[in-house]
Amino acid sequence: MSRTPSPCPSPVDRHLHRATRALPHRGGYLGVVGLLEGQPPGVEDLRDLVADAAARVPAWRYRVSADNRRVWEPAPGKDPREHVHELRLPPGPAALEDIARAAHDVPFPERADSWGIWLVTGWAPGRYALACRVHHALQDAAGGMAGISALMVPGLELPLSVPPDAEPPFRLAGTARWAARTLPPLLRPTARWTPARQAARTARTLHLTSCGTGRLQALARAAEASLNQVYLAVTAGALRAWTPQDWTARDTGPLHAFVPAESRPPGHETATLGNHLVALRAELHCAEPDPRRRLDLLRPSTDTRGARIPQQRAALRALPCVAGLATRCLLSRSRTALLTTNVRLGAGLTVSGHPVRQIAGLPPLLFGQPLTVALTTYEEQATVSFTSDRGDPDPGLLPRLWQEALTELEEAYAPR
């Protein structure tokens, strides 16, 4: 495999690096936790497995730098075994939410704080969990999952980043037309929202809910929408019920959600270092009582065809100062109320021959926003994770409200 030169951080990487330094908790880390069936490996065996994978995941040979201009730096001589840890839970049912919450909160050792893998054992015989977490300035969700796949596919070698000759070309005229149409709406503030006015706490909460993947797919077909649009429409319904006092006036503007969109050029989806993301600013019309209309209203803002993703990627690299300013503007909590993500993981994942039965996301909490919502689909199950550092309204209500909003949207599209 040819070696790709270490790339320069993008404005998104730098903004993520800067934002996480101000957080009172480990909110700048993203991750997943998976439940497995089989006799748990010893922690030393897992360290050997990770050491083998790390030799094939070049991003894991980097660490987050203290310098915001550099963002990351090589970590020569670092033993990847130091990034593998053990977390024991007491015997008991230990539902996925309990395991995910424990993995979400466990601190990183100072010597290995850029990424880590935890072996979670003790809660049931013949079952265990693996939790993987990485600093968001080092990897995005797709890069992190590509790295984890190296644990499951012996011999899989991954590239560090996208080769320069594969980057989309920067064309000033086309980019100017796109910017003139797209950037002015970023100046419009998002709707006033009760959670944004509450004081942040020094600890985060994590709550989960799940449903069959087929249920979301059937609803997407009925609505002639993408699965992501259905997920966002259901989330808008849940948020409407979570803070009803914010949506009593029908003319209240939308709540804006930052939706990361993959920007890696085709054929380079496994590039692992840095954030290969551009932004969609989804409009969640929580003031709209009709669930079908809520979905219809968000369609234009979530159409990736109009996002001109290659042009956005090229502009991020060709005009870093302008792109950095636009990034800070977009992600400020006065203009974006929450982060939403959607990660699809396929099926049939195994570790040392043990099948992965269920996966949940461990979403980050960034930019002073009060909430992150993450959809993770694996095999026939879709799991929605809610991360928050606010206590009023209670984030523990969101799983039930999301399920009720899903049923409401299904009934709206049911045959008459």
Side-chain angles (χ1 to χ4, degrees):
M1 173 186 295
S2 61
R3 292 180 61 86
T4 301
S6 181
C8 293
S10 72
V12 175
D13 298 320
R14 291 193 176 95
H15 189 63
L16 284 164
H17 186 283
R18 186 183 304 108
T20 55
R21 295 175 66 179
L23 294 173
H25 41 56
R26 293 284 185 174
Y29 289 81
L30 59 87
V32 295
V33 59
L35 301 187
L36 295 97
E37 289 185 356
Q39 184 62 31
V43 68
E44 291 301 325
D45 294 331
L46 182 59
R47 284 174 177 146
D48 290 340
L49 187 65
V50 169
D52 175 73
R56 298 177 277 110
V57 184
W60 287 0
R61 300 195 291 271
Y62 282 70
R63 64 188 169 211
V64 177
S65 170
D67 183 350
N68 183 64
R69 292 172 299 174
R70 298 178 65 186
V71 178
W72 56 67
E73 60 191 7
K78 190 71 172 177
D79 186 354
R81 292 173 175 83
E82 294 184 359
H83 293 268
V84 180
H85 321 290
E86 190 170 15
L87 177 62
R88 291 190 62 83
L89 299 183
L96 177 62
E97 182 172 278
D98 296 328
I99 297 170
R101 191 174 292 137
H104 206 216
D105 293 337
V106 65
F108 279 79
E110 289 186 9
R111 68 184 185 278
D113 61 351
S114 293
W115 60 275
I117 296 175
W118 279 262
L119 173 64
V120 187
T121 60
W123 47 278
R127 303 192 73 191
Y128 64 100
L130 290 181
C132 308
R133 295 160 66 201
V134 63
H135 196 292
H136 208 326
L138 190 71
Q139 289 185 292
D140 59 22
M145 288 309 305
I148 293 168
S149 68
L151 290 174
M152 307 176 189
V153 183
L156 175 65
E157 293 197 27
L158 300 172
L160 179 65
S161 192
V162 176
D165 58 3
E167 291 288 354
F170 174 70
R171 295 186 173 91
L172 183 58
T175 300
R177 287 193 296 271
W178 166 81
R181 184 181 68 253
T182 306
L183 296 184
L186 297 184
L187 300 177
R188 301 171 192 159
T190 194
R192 290 178 60 82
W193 193 31
T194 297
R197 298 194 292 271
Q198 307 301 320
R201 300 182 298 182
T202 57
R204 296 168 297 160
T205 59
L206 176 67
H207 298 281
L208 307 181
T209 190
S210 60
C211 68
T213 306
R215 191 175 170 189
L216 296 180
Q217 292 170 336
L219 182 51
R221 288 192 296 270
E224 297 183 341
S226 69
L227 188 145
N228 190 56
Q229 289 172 329
V230 165
Y231 151 61
L232 291 173
V234 173
T235 300
L239 298 182
R240 171 181 169 83
W242 193 41
T243 62
Q245 69 275 16
D246 293 330
W247 316 115
T248 55
R250 287 290 296 270
D251 59 349
T252 300
L255 200 64
H256 291 90
F258 170 57
V259 181
E262 168 66 63
S263 75
R264 293 169 175 85
H268 300 278
E269 293 86 352
T270 54
T272 56
L273 181 65
N275 287 264
H276 301 264
L277 305 171
V278 296
L280 297 179
R281 191 180 185 227
E283 295 184 353
L284 306 185
H285 290 263
C286 302
E288 171 55 57
D290 182 348
R292 289 183 66 136
R293 179 140 177 83
R294 280 199 299 270
L295 174 56
D296 289 340
L297 288 171
L298 71 79
R299 291 179 195 262
S301 63
T302 55
D303 185 354
T304 57
R305 292 171 298 181
R308 303 290 181 91
I309 289 174
Q311 288 184 336
Q312 285 198 55
R313 182 180 178 95
L316 280 171
R317 283 150 178 78
L319 303 170
C321 292
V322 175
L325 180 62
T327 299
R328 290 192 295 274
C329 178
L330 169 67
L331 297 178
S332 69
R333 62 180 178 180
S334 65
R335 292 178 176 84
T336 303
L338 71 157
L339 169 67
T340 65
T341 66
N342 179 355
V343 179
R344 304 178 188 183
L345 300 178
L349 299 178
T350 63
V351 177
S352 298
H354 298 158
V356 180
R357 294 305 188 193
Q358 189 176 0
I359 294 179
L362 306 177
L365 190 65
L366 300 164
F367 318 123
Q369 295 164 354
L371 179 68
T372 298
V373 186
L375 172 66
T376 307
T377 51
Y378 173 68
E379 293 191 340
E380 299 304 316
Q381 193 158 48
T383 303
V384 185
S385 307
F386 304 89
T387 301
S388 179
D389 60 4
R390 312 299 159 100
D392 183 22
D394 180 8
L397 300 173
L398 284 166
R400 174 179 61 82
L401 297 177
W402 199 90
Q403 291 288 347
E404 291 173 355
L406 174 59
T407 300
E408 180 187 39
L409 190 58
E410 286 176 320
E411 291 174 348
Y413 280 96
R416 302 299 181 187

